[in-house]
Amino acid sequence: MSAVWPQVQSSPAVLAPGHSQDMTITFKPMIAQKYDIAVPVRINGLYTINILLSGEGAPLRVELAKEEQLQRGVMFGAVPMGSSCSRALSLVNRGRAAAFVSFEPSAELLERLGIELVPAGGVQLRPRETADLTLWYRWVEQPGGGCWKLEPLILFCWSSQLYVDCGLAH
């Protein structure tokens, strides 16, 4: 979809008196600003009416809700070999628009490290809404008998996709 809006999906139609037809108008702002536009609609080739549209592009602001997790990441601490542990964290949408947070970009890394994220697929957050997440760490033995040592797990959000940055030592 291009940065130009509106994107109108409608076919030409003949309307009987008193009837109507739905049109789908897609708004996908590419920058944070207010938008106002008039969409011309031609009637019987005789005259044009303008449909006024307005909207606003709002930046996404999904963050970890707790200040200490923002500053130092999520620490699992010392986990005995063969054991597991979990850490809870909350995401908050501090923006003015709803945001879908996808964990898919980090799924392979988390699986390789033995970390399960619940919920796995992602979460939809309305403005000012929070979502609780659970990170389950299970000891992962590596080929050759070694194990990963987890450094602080740092979660960050860019364009409503949650990414994981994890320092690894072998």
Side-chain angles (χ1 to χ4, degrees), residues 61-66 89-101 122-133:
R61 289 190 51 219
V62 176
E63 303 169 352
L64 289 170
K66 294 181 182 174
L89 56 102
S90 294
L91 292 177
V92 62
N93 182 357
R94 299 191 197 284
R96 296 184 329 170
F100 179 77
V101 181
V123 293
Q124 179 77 30
L125 292 171
R126 293 184 302 258
R128 295 174 301 287
E129 185 176 32
T130 61
D132 294 327
L133 307 175

Side-chain angles (χ1 to χ4, degrees), residues 2-100:
S2 71
V4 178
W5 84 279
Q7 193 169 43
V8 180
Q9 296 172 346
S10 181
S11 301
V14 175
L15 298 177
H19 287 83
S20 63
Q21 178 176 331
D22 292 335
M23 294 179 3
T24 300
I25 300 174
T26 303
F27 174 54
K28 184 178 179 182
M30 301 307 285
I31 57 175
Q33 71 177 37
K34 291 188 177 193
Y35 294 83
D36 292 299
I37 191 167
V39 176
V41 177
R42 191 86 175 137
I43 309 298
N44 284 346
L46 300 173
Y47 63 96
T48 301
I49 62 170
N50 289 315
I51 300 173
L52 302 176
L53 304 175
S54 65
E56 183 177 355
L60 297 175
R61 289 190 51 219
V62 176
E63 303 169 352
L64 289 170
K66 294 181 182 174
E67 187 65 32
E68 65 272 9
Q69 289 177 336
L70 275 170
Q71 293 175 0
R72 65 179 184 97
V74 178
M75 306 291 248
F76 283 96
V79 180
M81 291 179 67
S83 297
S84 64
C85 72
S86 66
R87 294 292 179 262
L89 56 102
S90 294
L91 292 177
V92 62
N93 182 357
R94 299 191 197 284
R96 296 184 329 170
F100 179 77

Side-chain angles (χ1 to χ4, degrees), residues 60 62 99-102 157-163:
L60 297 175
V62 176
F100 179 77
V101 181
S102 171
C157 185
W158 180 259
S159 298
S160 75
Q161 290 187 334
L162 190 71
Y163 292 86

